[in-house]
Amino acid sequence: MSKVEDVKAKVEAGKSKLVPGLVQEALDAGDAPQAILAAMIDAMSVVGEKFSKGEIFVPEMLIAAKAMAKGVEVLKPSLAGDGSTSLGTCVIGTVAGDLHDIGKNLVSMMIESAGFDMVDLGVDVPAEKFVEAAKENANVKLVACSGLLTTTMPALKEAVATIKGSGLDVKVIVGGAPVTPEYAAEIGADAYAPDAGTAAVKAKEVIGA
Ligand code: B1M
């Protein structure tokens, strides 16, 4: 088994104590950080499929998520740039009712590496909180809203409507597994990205940088 395959297997099995060391070993062996990340994302897909089939339950999903988060910590310096040029501030969060944060954290990391200062509101963020944070923090140019559940897509819509209705001069980017470009356009978001890497590109584009 290659190092990358081993990382995937251990994330799937939720071995959070082993994953950081294995990620470091894979990096030391010359595996590309993007390939290691892709393997961890694949592992979470397998976990999701097993959950759908009733083969595993919420605690196992949570344990796998923790293992992935530990692995991402080790990968972070290799994936993100130094973020030294500030293009402005980006407020980011997962929308109300939604507790998924791995994708949001990756998106935050990549937008930061594109040159934004990040204000991370965490998960289960009510629409008004995005607006408050955009008002309270200096130089906010972008608000990024993540949603992972079909049941929280209306919360995504509400977040975009509330931010747009606030009169703030900020752009809004949305994404997350159930979100489509069509849905993003329909709810009035300024940009959509299917993954963290694209989110960083779109973040710059949408503010005209
Ligand atoms: Co949940 N969960 N979960 N879960 N969970 C999914 C999403 C699910 C698809 C699993 C399944 O059934 N196959 C399913 C949703 C089904 C649906 O809505 N159609 C599901 C469910 C049902 C649930 C619960 C309802 C289960 C229950 O309690 N019965 C519950 C809901 C809790 C809540 O939020 N209120 C729940 C709970 C959990 C845990 C807490 C146990 C845990 C999350 C822990 C955490 O995040 N800290 C969890 C996990 C781990 C998953 C899966 C297995 C993995 C998610 C993940 O981290 N993926 C997931 C199955 C899956 O995704 N295949 C699942 C890896 C991550 C890198 O990908 O988050 O998609 P992702 O992010 C991507 C893109 O989406 C995009 O970029 C990222 C990568 O490049 N992206 C953006 C994300 N945000 C973006 C924002 C952008 C742009 C791009 O711009 C702003």
Side-chain angles (χ1 to χ4, degrees):
M1 194 187 281
S2 74
K3 294 276 177 218
V4 174
E5 284 167 354
D6 206 8
V7 169
K8 184 178 171 208
K10 295 298 187 298
V11 167
E12 211 183 301
K15 303 284 182 197
S16 56
K17 288 204 175 115
L18 294 179
V19 168
L22 287 170
V23 169
Q24 190 58 56
E25 280 177 31
L27 285 171
D28 294 344
D31 287 308
Q34 289 78 5
I36 303 169
L37 179 63
M40 291 199 283
I41 293 176
D42 280 356
M44 296 311 287
S45 298
V46 175
V47 167
E49 280 160 25
K50 285 186 176 169
F51 175 77
S52 295
K53 289 186 201 152
E55 291 172 8
I56 61 164
F57 301 96
V58 170
E60 286 93 339
M61 275 209 287
L62 202 51
I63 291 166
K66 190 174 163 198
M68 170 149 184
K70 293 271 177 204
V72 169
E73 270 174 37
V74 178
L75 266 191
K76 190 174 175 183
S78 315
L79 284 171
D82 64 4
S84 52
T85 47
S86 181
L87 298 174
T89 303
C90 171
V91 171
I92 190 166
T94 303
V95 295
D98 201 323
L99 303 176
H100 297 85
D101 69 356
I102 296 181
K104 184 265 296 167
N105 293 344
L106 287 173
V107 169
S108 178
M109 198 169 91
M110 296 310 287
I111 294 182
E112 182 176 16
S113 74
F116 287 82
D117 296 319
M118 301 304 293
V119 174
D120 191 338
L121 304 178
V123 296
D124 192 15
V125 180
E128 311 75 43
K129 257 250 164 121
F130 285 107
V131 173
E132 278 167 30
K135 284 183 180 160
E136 281 165 9
N137 289 278
N139 201 21
V140 175
K141 298 266 180 66
L142 184 67
V143 180
C145 306
S146 176
L148 255 289
L149 295 168
T150 43
T151 49
T152 55
M153 286 170 79
L156 198 58
K157 182 178 179 177
E158 193 190 340
V160 175
T162 308
I163 298 159
K164 288 286 168 190
S166 70
L168 285 165
D169 183 20
V170 294
K171 300 291 184 191
V172 185
I173 180 168
V174 297
V179 184
T180 60
E182 292 76 23
Y183 186 71
E186 185 190 316
I187 64 175
D190 300 295
Y192 157 82
D195 56 56
T198 313
V201 175
K202 294 280 175 184
K204 283 173 85 168
E205 255 176 42
V206 77
I207 66 151

